[in-house]
Amino acid sequence: MLFESAGLLERDEGAVDFDDAVNRERLVDYFRYFEDQFFGEPYYGRPVIFMFFSLAYEGDLEAAFAEAKADIEADPYLVVNFGSVQSWTDPTEGQRERLDAFDAVTAYSSWKPREDIDDIEFVDRVMRAYAEWHDACADRGTAFILQVMPGYDDTRITHVPGREPHRCSLGTRSASRICATEPANSLTMTSTRPSSPR
């Protein structure tokens, strides 16, 4: 389930503050609604909620999400995306502490289309950031969901450089180094083209 934080919660100058009573009440209410409408279906296992726009979260996240989860019977698996994963930078100390509130972290998307994509060593920079986030998550007992981007060639549609097959393949091989000692147990594919690496 995708939780669109930017549209469902109050924002103050772009930030979603979980010390704000309104946001905490809304989170509790939404989790109740999700359980009533979706979590009880027999074909579901443990429900997964992707907290989109979580890079803007502030405040006592651990307390806010613990309160929301305590109000329902299900134990949703919470996935977040933090900003510096997408900016190719290492996790800050504050972001490391926030990991305790969630089950997993992903980049959502690290891709930034630009003409000088090779000159800035895009793949190497992303993989260095992923390695730092992987280790930070391991230290806190939080899962790191590796995301490969670009993962397919859509240049014939978008005419935006950077997603050509050779770069997709390089990104995939680079990402595999991080998981070399930790076999993957799941794969999510959002789209593919004939020229995509297999």
Side-chain angles (χ1 to χ4, degrees), residues 28-176:
V28 169
D29 289 342
Y30 281 122
F31 275 34
R32 286 176 185 159
Y33 176 79
F34 296 155
E35 180 161 74
D36 290 343
Q37 298 296 317
F38 306 109
F39 293 169
E41 296 295 336
Y43 44 80
Y44 277 141
R46 185 181 180 187
V48 177
I49 305 177
F50 180 68
M51 307 299 300
F52 185 67
F53 200 65
S54 44
L55 68 168
Y57 288 178
E58 293 182 353
D60 191 345
L61 306 185
E62 196 165 3
F65 281 88
E67 179 183 357
K69 292 174 72 173
D71 202 59
I72 59 177
E73 293 183 10
D75 180 22
Y77 189 85
L78 302 179
V79 182
V80 291
N81 65 302
F82 282 149
S84 62
V85 188
Q86 295 174 233
S87 303
W88 317 325
T89 55
D90 297 348
T92 65
E93 189 56 38
Q95 287 170 330
R96 290 173 187 268
E97 293 175 358
R98 292 180 188 180
L99 294 176
D100 295 337
F102 306 103
D103 297 289
V105 175
T106 187
Y108 180 71
S109 174
S110 56
W111 176 248
K112 297 178 182 179
R114 44 194 291 175
E115 296 288 342
D116 63 344
I117 196 69
D118 287 319
D119 296 335
I120 63 171
E121 300 178 328
F122 165 75
V123 172
D124 289 340
R125 291 174 66 175
V126 170
M127 289 306 125
R128 282 196 297 269
Y130 279 10
E132 289 294 329
W133 273 91
H134 173 274
D135 292 346
C137 288
D139 289 343
R140 312 294 292 208
T142 303
F144 179 70
I145 301 175
L146 186 66
Q147 178 251 21
V148 178
M149 177 66 82
Y152 63 97
D153 175 16
D154 66 354
T155 53
R156 285 176 291 179
I157 300 173
T158 64
H159 307 292
V160 175
R163 287 183 172 175
E164 294 82 358
H166 74 279
R167 193 170 294 104
C168 298
S169 177
L170 178 60
T172 305
R173 291 199 306 271
S174 300
S176 68

